[in-house]
């Protein structure tokens, strides 16, 4: 039976609540199975609310234990209550105090929203709508209150008691010698989703930071005992984030303490609760033996992201959840900029664009497509998407391009100053930039309204006599569910005209589009742009730095791409040129594989990759990225329909093998350059490791007789997780001799590190082998598998569904069926994680007929399940619609 379809919430229906809550005093008596919460809310009727208007508070599975108004118990006929709603039928018209007692069961909370326990530690997750699982409340982001939290627990169970804001008082509880308490006060008014508390037996590392105006801030990171030595990188990242935000955005921290708690059961990556960030421990804990270079980079970025929310999200928050990109898109933009300043800007940009294309583009092209600011939702948890986050960040980046660096700084200054302490909107955000720049941004605002990735097509012709270059440009968004037509957007296209000497050429004049510095500003469906004074036929470099989140089709010969891969002055486009070249070549190989023909790699690709491999003047991290072929999912996306993932895998394997055997000598040379010496997690050393491991991967793919030996040797000798995991992956994915022994050695070595074991599961789940499904099924029954731990589920089931296109997309449909089984099992316990797993079906219509019918059957089976959560119901319905 279908569960009832939940009503859609619509942006156009927004209205403020009739009452507001100015202050919250919470008292939480913690006990594993029966926590008693007492909330005292100071409530005021809004001036335009009629006296006697009912007050409706949200609840989430609550049990009410007491209720009083202004200190007096209220009669049963003056309220109604269910687990999900408390309604005061005729509240006082003057400000009043409402006291609510609720009882909750943290141990039974498997959905990890509200108050739950992770390895015995009490913790909370309130975004987006988790606070209502703690007490009845106006659980919406435009109700801003000052919170005081008193936490009480058994001292032995929870010696550490943490809340938002600053610590006020703590001590023993009179007459209860086994219990103690702590009181925290947060002076900054905030929405309920930023509430947090933690109680447990935790260790910590401490440091401090002095803000630019001289405030001394105590920094602490809390972790399970024995993990204190894995916090150095996170702490260092935090201090660098705090300094950077002062220097770049003028944002200073505003409390006396900043606490981070790492927990091992967490639905998301991390959460920006005011003064008390709670993290998935994979974004805190790192050391040489258990964390890869990618883990280090992620920790730096996530720590920064959550810290940056203190201004973009917390001080200035969202009026409603439709404005989610106001905090998330902007904060992702900020963390991307931070990482760019800490590392190589070019490498960071390439990595971010790869992520955008692999996650956001497919979302934006399928049944789950939605605007950066959606207009309706049924379950808000399903809108923490790549579109809101990554495309949202791209839109902020375009805004910066359009108003310029100075305009952008002035705009953010004005936004911070004008809206501090408010819950606001995208309109208010854009208005700040319009005002300081004098630009009309109303057309630009379409980026927030319209779903889909614009396809920009460019046809160029050069007239040698007239010395002119003409570009015929069009933009179009393919029809999407609920969006048949699209409007042309403002699209900034950074560009350069490259001469035969490899340098950017000058030109005299441009007609047909506005040009600002090196940027062409498109705004119409079709435009013809004419450059005059162009002295020779240029190689066209368009969309430099990926200046807009669009698909660019500008037909270019392999030779021109090879030229730009070597000479484009824009590093992003150099990378893009080599990727486009490899993509074109791979697509030809896919067609050959489908036709059962011999797979012969194009020599121009082999040559370009050889040049990159041997060019010691390039940054190793950049070379490593440039040597990486487009992934199977990238190719599937390019193919678009009738996708046969087996052919895609074959094509990619063929090119990898050809690259390996063609460049054997260069690869051996690169391998011998592996550096030894003390481990350094910094970007430069990480780049060298990435390059060496990329070379090793091609070497292994070459089928050289000593390949397995060399990879096994690296596995045995590796003194860090990056190299060890790279070797293990090659052994397992290549099904090389020694793979099973290496897996066993890895498991034994890391038996006690949950995060390292996640990698052990992930390597096996992503092996492109026909035996993998059986392996993954066995692993789901392994003693080390834990279906209640989101990280473990992600490392096995999610990794299989998203990181193993050929096996998830097996022609017999067994891969789909396996994942569907897990979605259903998970849905009852943790709907948020189940729904996220379910999104891996979103591109099901792109498969060839046999596979897509198997995928559809799997979706149908999920759709027909009884009591499906609202989260999964929403995704499955949209996928099938
Ligand atoms: N506010 C979110 C965390 C969140 C998301 C809580 C959805 C509840 C529901 C946090 O700031 C965030 O965006 N975290 C990201 C990581 C970040 C680096 C992009 C996450 O958790 O994936
Ligand atoms: Zn965020």
């Amino acid at each position: 039976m279908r569960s009832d379809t939940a009503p859609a919430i619509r942006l156009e229906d927004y209205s403020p609540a009739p009452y507001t809550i100015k202050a919250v005093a919470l008292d939480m008596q913690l006990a594993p199975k029966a926590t008693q919460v007492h909330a005292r809310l100071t409530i005021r009727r809004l001036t335009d609310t009629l006296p006697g208007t009912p007050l409706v508070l949200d609840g989430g599975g609550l049990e009410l234990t007491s209720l009083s108004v202004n200190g007096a118990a209220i009669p049963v006929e003056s309220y109604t209550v269910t687990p999900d709603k408390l309604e005061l039928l005729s509240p006082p018209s003057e400000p009043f105090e409402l006291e609510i007692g609720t009882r909750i069961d943290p141990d039974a909370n498997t959905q990890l929203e509200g108050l739950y326990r992770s390895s015995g530690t009490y913790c909370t997750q309130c975004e987006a709508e988790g606070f209502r699982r703690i007490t009845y409340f106006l659980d919406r982001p435009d109700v801003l209150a000052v919170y005081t939290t008193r936490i009480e627990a058994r001292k032995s169970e929870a010696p550490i008691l943490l809340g938002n804001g600053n610590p006020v008082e703590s001590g023993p509880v009179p007459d209860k010698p086994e219990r103690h308490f702590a009181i925290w006060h947060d002076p900054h008014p905030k929405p309920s989703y930023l509430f947090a508390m933690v109680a447990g037996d935790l260790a910590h590392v401490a440091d401090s930071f002095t803000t630019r105006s001289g405030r001394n801030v105590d920094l602490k990171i809390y972790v399970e005992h024995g993990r204190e030595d894995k916090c150095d990188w996170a702490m260092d990242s935090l201090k660098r984030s705090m300094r950077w935000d002062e220097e770049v955005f003028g944002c200073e921290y505003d409390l006396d303490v900043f606490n981070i708690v790492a927990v091992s059961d967490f639905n998301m990556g991390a959460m920006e609760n005011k003064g008390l960030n709670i993290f998935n421990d994979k974004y805190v804990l790192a050391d040489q033996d258990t964390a890869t270079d990618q883990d280090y980079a992620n920790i730096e970025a996530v720590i920064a992201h959550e810290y940056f929310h203190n201004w973009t999200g917390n001080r200035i928050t969202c009026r409603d959840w439709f404005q989610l990109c106001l905090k998330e898109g902007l904060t992702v933009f900020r963390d991307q900029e931070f990482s760019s300043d800490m590392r190589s800007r070019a490498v960071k940009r390439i990595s971010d664009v790869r992520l955008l294309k692999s996650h956001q583009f497919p979302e934006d092209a399928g049944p789950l497509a939605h605007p950066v600011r959606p207009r309706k939702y049924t379950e808000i948890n399903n809108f923490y998407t790549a579109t809101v986050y990554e495309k949202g960040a791209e839109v902020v980046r375009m805004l910066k391009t359009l108003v310029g660096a100075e305009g952008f700084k002035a705009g953010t200054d004005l936004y911070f100053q004008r809206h501090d302490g408010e819950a606001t909107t995208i309109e208010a955000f854009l208005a700040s930039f319009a005002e300081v720049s004098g630009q009309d941004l109303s057309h630009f605002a379409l980026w927030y309204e319209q779903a889909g990735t614009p396809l920009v097509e460019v046809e160029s012709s050069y007239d040698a006599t007239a010395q002119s270059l003409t570009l015929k440009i069009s933009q179009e968004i393919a029809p999407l569910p609920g969006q048949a037509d699209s409007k042309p957007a403002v699209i900034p296209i950074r560009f350069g005209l490259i001469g035969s000497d490899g340098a950017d050429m000058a030109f005299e004049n441009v007609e047909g589009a506005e040009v600002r510095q090196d940027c062409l500003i498109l705004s119409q469906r079709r435009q013809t742009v004419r450059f005059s004074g162009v002295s020779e036929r240029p190689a066209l470099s368009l969309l430099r730095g990926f200046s807009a989140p669009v698909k660019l089709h500008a037909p270019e010969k392999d030779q021109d791409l090879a030229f730009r891969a070597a000479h484009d002055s824009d590093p992003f486009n150099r990378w893009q040129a080599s990727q486009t070249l490899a993509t074109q070549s791979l697509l030809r190989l896919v067609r050959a594989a489908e036709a059962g023909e011999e797979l012969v790699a194009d020599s121009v690709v082999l040559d370009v990759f050889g040049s990159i491999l041997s060019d010691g003047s390039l940054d190793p991290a950049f070379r490593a990225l440039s040597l990486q072929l487009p992934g199977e999912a990238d190719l599937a996306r390019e193919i678009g329909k009738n996708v046969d993932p087996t052919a895609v895998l074959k094509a990619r394997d063929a090119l990898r093998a050809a690259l390996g055997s063609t460049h054997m000598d260069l690869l051996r040379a690169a391998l011998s350059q592996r550096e030894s010496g003390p481990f350094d997690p910094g970007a430069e050393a990480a780049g060298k490791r990435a390059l060496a491991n990329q070379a090793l991967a091609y070497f292994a793919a070459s089928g050289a007789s000593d390949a397995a030996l060399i990879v096994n040797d690296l596995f045995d000798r590796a003194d860090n997780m990056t190299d060890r995991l790279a070797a293990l992956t090659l052994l397992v994915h290549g099904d090389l001799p020694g793979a099973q022994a290496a897996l066993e050695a890895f498991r034994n070595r890391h038996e006690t590190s949950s995060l390292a074991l996640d990698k052990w599961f992930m390597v096996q789940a992503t092996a492109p082998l026909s035996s993998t499904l059986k392996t993954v099924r066995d692993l789901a029954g392994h003693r080390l598998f834990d279906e209640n731990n989101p990280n473990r589920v992600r490392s096995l089931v999610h990794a299989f569904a998203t990181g193993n296109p050929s096996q998830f997309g097996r022609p017999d449909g067994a891969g789909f069926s396996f994942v569907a089984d897990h979605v259903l099992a998970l849905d009852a316990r943790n709907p948020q994680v189940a729904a996220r797993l379910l999104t891996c079906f979103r591109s099901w219509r792109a498969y060839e007929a046999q596979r897509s019918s198997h995928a559809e059957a799997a979706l149908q089976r999920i759709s027909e399940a009884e009591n499906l959560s609202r989260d999964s119901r929403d995704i499955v319905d949209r996928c099938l619609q």
Side-chain angles (χ1 to χ4, degrees):
M1 276 297 291
R2 282 177 61 112
S3 40
D4 290 337
T5 357
I9 318 275
R10 289 171 198 282
L11 171 58
E12 69 211 41
D13 294 342
Y14 172 81
S15 65
Y19 294 83
T20 187
I21 304 175
K22 285 290 166 198
V24 179
L26 275 181
D27 183 294
M28 307 187 64
Q29 309 264 348
L30 298 175
K33 295 189 171 17
T35 287
Q36 187 67 47
V37 179
H38 181 268
R40 193 175 71 238
L41 313 179
T42 308
I43 302 185
R44 223 171 46 207
R45 178 176 57 91
L46 294 194
T47 44
D48 37 8
T49 299
L50 288 177
T53 303
L55 168 64
V56 182
L57 301 179
D58 306 298
L62 289 174
E63 181 192 345
L64 182 72
T65 55
S66 65
L67 186 65
S68 69
V69 169
N70 289 331
I74 67 169
V76 285
E77 60 280 6
S78 58
Y79 69 93
T80 65
V81 68
T82 70
D84 299 332
K85 188 161 117 176
L86 171 62
E87 183 167 1
L88 293 197
L89 301 173
S90 185
S93 56
E94 294 306 308
F96 64 100
E97 306 235 304
L98 178 64
E99 293 184 61
I100 305 171
T102 48
R103 188 163 32 230
I104 51 186
D105 182 350
D107 269 1
N109 185 345
T110 57
Q111 72 191 60
L112 314 187
E113 285 177 273
L115 176 68
Y116 66 96
R117 292 217 302 167
S118 172
S119 309
T121 296
Y122 295 89
C123 61
T124 56
Q125 171 54 41
C126 291
E127 189 179 0
E129 298 178 336
F131 191 68
R132 64 184 64 182
R133 294 170 53 82
I134 295 172
T135 190
Y136 291 100
F137 203 72
L138 289 172
D139 193 13
R140 43 187 287 166
D142 59 350
V143 172
L144 307 184
V146 170
Y147 285 68
T148 306
T149 311
R150 181 182 179 281
I151 311 163
E152 189 189 303
R154 284 178 69 99
K155 203 169 183 165
S156 58
E157 185 178 67
I160 302 290
L161 305 172
L162 304 172
N164 300 109
N166 296 316
V168 176
E169 200 190 324
S170 62
V173 177
D175 304 329
K176 290 186 191 157
E178 79 290 357
R179 293 181 77 79
H180 71 149
F181 78 96
I183 297 175
W184 291 75
H185 178 73
D186 179 4
H188 300 279
K190 64 167 175 286
S192 50
Y193 82 86
L194 290 172
F195 169 81
M197 59 122 292
V198 169
D201 186 2
L202 297 168
H204 74 263
V205 295
D207 207 323
S208 70
F209 180 86
T210 307
T211 69
R212 63 175 177 182
S213 72
R215 181 197 282 267
N216 195 59
V217 186
D218 286 330
L219 311 176
K220 289 201 177 90
I221 300 181
Y222 289 87
V223 293
E224 277 178 34
H225 288 282
R227 299 187 174 174
E228 298 92 316
D229 55 349
K230 293 186 173 194
C231 297
D232 295 352
W233 181 253
M235 185 63 91
D236 186 58
S237 301
L238 174 61
K239 289 187 289 179
R240 283 183 284 122
S241 305
M242 295 177 86
R243 189 60 74 211
W244 185 91
D245 213 15
E246 292 183 344
E247 286 170 358
V248 179
F249 279 88
C251 294
E252 189 175 331
Y253 190 60
D254 53 10
L255 289 166
D256 301 330
V257 303
F258 187 77
N259 288 318
I260 290 177
V261 180
V263 299
S264 46
D265 302 276
F266 201 73
N267 284 350
M268 301 290 293
M271 180 62 209
E272 69 265 26
N273 318 297
K274 184 77 186 192
L276 178 55
N277 286 188
I278 299 180
F279 271 60
N280 186 323
D281 59 3
K282 74 183 278 205
Y283 295 121
V284 172
L285 304 174
D287 65 12
Q288 169 176 0
D289 196 45
T290 55
T292 62
D293 292 328
Q294 187 62 56
D295 292 326
Y296 278 92
N298 290 344
I299 290 167
E300 183 179 82
V302 181
I303 293 264
H305 178 98
E306 305 311 337
Y307 174 73
F308 295 159
H309 269 314
N310 192 54
W311 276 89
T312 51
N314 300 7
R315 290 287 288 251
I316 302 173
T317 196
C318 302
R319 187 193 70 174
D320 53 71
W321 291 119
F322 296 100
Q323 320 294 329
L324 182 58
C325 62
L326 178 70
K327 73 177 180 83
E328 295 301 350
L330 176 56
T331 305
V332 170
F333 172 79
R334 277 152 51 68
D335 82 56
Q336 290 175 344
E337 285 299 292
F338 169 73
S339 294
S340 301
D341 284 347
M342 296 297 121
R343 293 160 178 264
S344 149
R345 185 161 280 271
V347 167
K348 175 64 179 161
R349 187 65 187 138
I350 293 166
S351 319
D352 289 342
V353 174
R354 280 176 55 126
L355 188 81
L356 182 83
K357 290 186 178 178
S358 66
H359 288 77
Q360 199 277 326
F361 277 25
E363 180 169 274
D364 224 354
L368 302 182
H370 56 273
V372 172
R373 181 172 66 181
R375 274 180 298 276
K376 64 167 195 197
Y377 62 79
T378 54
E379 172 51 64
I380 187 56
N381 281 333
N382 289 340
F383 281 84
Y384 288 76
T385 60
T387 297
V388 168
Y389 276 68
E390 265 68 46
K391 190 176 180 181
E394 292 301 317
V395 175
V396 174
R397 189 171 294 282
M398 284 191 288
L399 179 65
K400 181 173 178 184
T401 302
L402 291 171
V403 301
E406 280 171 24
F408 188 75
K409 177 74 174 76
T412 52
D413 285 351
L414 179 60
Y415 171 71
F416 290 141
Q417 175 227 313
R418 183 179 282 170
H419 299 289
D420 188 12
E422 288 180 6
T424 192
T425 60
I426 288 296
E427 281 77 7
F429 176 67
L430 288 178
S432 297
F433 295 90
E435 195 167 315
V436 297
S437 69
Q439 289 183 33
D440 177 0
L441 295 170
S442 51
H443 188 183
F444 178 75
L446 186 63
W447 279 106
Y448 287 99
E449 311 290 330
Q450 189 164 267
T453 309
L455 172 64
V456 175
E457 291 189 290
V458 182
E459 249 178 62
S460 69
S461 56
Y462 178 69
D463 181 338
T465 347
Q467 303 227 316
S468 72
L469 174 74
T470 304
L471 306 182
K472 284 192 174 172
I473 310 179
S474 66
Q475 55 163 299
E476 188 76 66
I477 297 176
L480 289 165
Q483 185 181 293
D485 309 312
S486 66
K487 297 188 195 120
V490 177
I491 303 180
I493 307 271
R494 284 216 156 92
F495 72 98
L497 311 181
I498 310 173
S500 50
D501 61 353
D504 283 0
M505 294 163 64
F507 50 87
E508 274 163 18
N509 208 5
V510 189
E511 288 158 34
E514 186 190 345
V515 171
R516 281 182 221 159
Q517 279 136 12
D518 57 349
C519 200
L520 202 59
I521 319 275
L522 306 180
S523 57
Q524 294 154 34
R525 196 174 296 284
R526 274 173 231 302
Q527 282 172 267
T528 301
V529 183
R530 195 168 160 274
F531 295 81
S532 58
V534 183
S535 59
E536 61 171 323
R537 187 188 81 91
L540 248 187
S541 178
L542 295 173
L543 206 63
R544 282 183 164 173
F546 201 71
S547 57
V550 300
K551 278 179 281 192
L552 174 69
H553 278 194
E556 199 172 357
K557 292 202 191 73
D558 282 359
Q559 286 311 329
D560 286 353
L561 284 166
F563 176 76
R564 287 204 300 112
H567 298 292
D568 203 313
S569 62
D570 178 57
F572 177 85
N573 263 11
R574 264 182 100 157
W575 169 81
Q576 182 64 67
S578 64
Q579 288 293 299
T580 305
L581 189 63
T583 303
Q584 292 183 0
S585 177
L586 281 162
L587 294 180
R588 288 191 283 268
L589 289 171
V590 172
R591 283 192 290 273
E594 284 168 345
E597 292 162 8
E598 200 191 337
L599 305 186
V600 188
D602 292 309
S603 61
V604 55
V605 178
L606 301 177
D607 291 349
V608 164
F609 275 60
S611 313
I612 297 167
L613 194 53
S614 55
D615 187 348
S617 72
L618 293 171
D619 171 17
F622 177 83
R623 281 158 79 195
L625 268 178
S626 299
L627 290 170
Q628 226 170 311
L629 292 178
E632 292 158 66
D634 297 312
L635 295 167
R637 198 178 63 244
E638 289 293 330
I639 296 167
K641 54 176 191 282
N642 270 315
V643 174
D644 170 359
T646 313
V648 172
L649 178 66
K650 275 190 192 149
R652 209 170 167 277
D653 281 349
L655 183 53
R656 291 195 311 126
L659 283 164
S661 48
T662 309
H663 298 304
M664 189 67 86
D665 296 340
L666 285 174
L667 292 169
R668 279 191 199 274
L671 291 185
S672 67
Q673 281 165 22
R674 204 176 268 281
E675 295 201 357
S676 47
F679 179 77
D680 168 9
E684 205 180 308
K688 290 182 182 159
R689 283 188 287 272
L691 181 59
N693 289 326
Q694 191 63 53
L696 185 70
Y698 282 118
F699 183 70
S702 73
S705 56
D706 56 346
L709 202 76
I710 290 183
V711 181
N712 273 296
D713 181 54
L714 176 73
F715 177 81
D716 294 336
R717 278 188 306 115
D719 69 351
N720 65 80
M721 180 55 102
T722 301
D723 292 342
R724 184 179 307 123
L725 185 63
L728 182 68
T729 304
L730 293 176
L731 293 172
V732 174
H733 290 200
D735 204 11
L736 299 179
Q740 288 312 314
L743 277 171
E744 206 173 305
F746 188 98
R747 196 199 60 224
N748 286 334
R749 180 185 188 109
H750 296 295
E751 185 93 27
T752 58
S753 164
S754 181
L755 296 173
L757 281 177
D758 285 342
K759 302 180 197 307
W760 183 78
F761 280 94
M762 178 150 357
V763 172
Q764 300 179 76
T766 51
L769 307 171
S770 56
S771 56
T772 292
L773 182 59
K774 181 182 181 314
T775 307
V776 170
R777 280 216 176 94
D778 292 346
L779 286 173
H782 196 279
R783 68 181 164 86
L784 292 170
F785 187 70
D786 175 0
E787 56 201 353
N788 287 316
N789 178 255
N791 286 356
R792 197 47 56 83
V793 172
R794 281 188 281 258
S795 66
L796 185 68
V797 192
H798 220 276
F800 174 73
T802 60
N804 199 342
S806 71
Q807 301 313 306
F808 173 58
R810 281 163 62 110
D812 62 3
F816 302 139
S817 185
F818 168 77
V819 174
D821 291 343
H822 275 270
V823 169
L824 287 170
L826 206 53
D827 191 57
R829 281 174 285 114
N830 190 330
Q832 201 184 340
V833 172
R836 204 155 268 262
L837 177 59
L838 184 48
T839 63
C840 67
F841 280 99
R842 67 182 169 208
S843 300
W844 68 273
R845 283 195 172 90
Y847 289 116
E848 49 74 31
Q850 185 190 347
R851 287 178 173 87
S852 66
S853 75
H854 283 308
E856 184 173 20
L859 284 168
Q860 280 297 350
R861 182 155 65 86
I862 293 169
S863 178
E864 281 153 23
E866 268 180 64
N867 303 322
L868 202 60
S869 68
R870 176 157 37 135
D871 307 57
S872 294
R873 164 64 53 208
D874 170 39
I875 302 286
V876 77
D877 281 356
R878 282 192 279 150
C879 280
L880 285 171
Q881 110 195 357

